[in-house]
């Protein structure tokens, strides 16, 4: 478990349940999905159980999409930092818009 994941799971446990739910519901689906990339299934379940069934489906769809994308460490760090900041904050944060780029299926011909 990396430091970001450890911080996020710690916040999930230490913050009041209603605060966690409100912050996760207002966070971008993509940011939540990216922040779950390196988590165990148990930790993922703890996040998913705190959001509505519709948001759960969207997050799971995002996770499946990421299997076909090249995610950089900078993208991962930006997403998980956004979720951590939202959970640590006492007010709802504005969402960070992200752009993802599909990875090439085959190498380019020269």
């Amino acid at each position: 478990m990396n430091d970001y994941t450890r911080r996020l799971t710690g916040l999930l446990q230490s913050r009041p349940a209603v605060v966690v739910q409100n912050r996760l519901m207002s966070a971008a689906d993509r940011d939540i999905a990216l922040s779950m990339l390196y988590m165990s299934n148990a930790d993922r379940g703890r996040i998913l159980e705190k959001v509505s069934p519709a948001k759960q489906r969207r997050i799971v769809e995002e996770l499946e999409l990421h299997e076909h994308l090249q995610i950089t460490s900078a993208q991962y760090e930006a997403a998980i930092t956004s979720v951590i900041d939202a959970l640590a904050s006492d007010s709802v944060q504005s969402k960070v818009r992200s752009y993802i780029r599909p990875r090439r299926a085959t190498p380019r011909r020269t």
Side-chain angles (χ1 to χ4, degrees):
M1 181 182 297
N2 66 41
D3 289 339
Y4 290 110
T5 302
R6 202 171 291 113
R7 259 185 85 199
L8 179 56
T9 55
L11 283 168
L12 290 170
Q13 295 170 352
S14 66
R15 299 288 298 194
V18 70
V19 170
V20 170
Q21 182 179 27
N22 288 340
R23 299 303 183 270
L24 289 176
M25 288 299 295
S26 67
D29 300 340
R30 179 166 295 144
D31 288 346
I32 295 172
L34 278 172
S35 70
M36 294 167 57
L37 278 179
Y38 305 112
M39 286 184 179
S40 67
N41 286 334
D43 288 335
R44 287 179 177 184
R46 282 190 272 283
I47 289 179
L48 292 174
E49 72 184 5
K50 306 237 186 277
V51 298
S52 69
K55 189 162 184 94
Q56 286 177 11
R57 280 191 304 278
R58 293 192 308 266
I59 292 169
V60 169
E61 287 172 2
E62 283 287 338
L63 277 169
E64 291 170 356
L65 172 67
H66 296 319
E67 292 176 3
H68 306 288
L69 299 173
Q70 186 173 359
I71 306 300
T72 66
S73 59
Q75 290 169 315
Y76 166 74
E77 289 173 9
I80 197 165
T81 300
S82 170
V83 175
I84 289 170
D85 290 347
L87 287 172
S89 172
D90 289 328
S91 63
V92 177
Q93 306 270 320
S94 62
K95 295 178 186 171
V96 174
R97 297 292 175 211
S98 61
Y99 173 76
I100 53 177
R101 180 176 307 183
R103 82 177 108 164
R104 295 186 190 284
T106 57
R108 261 198 255 197
R109 293 183 184 176
T110 55

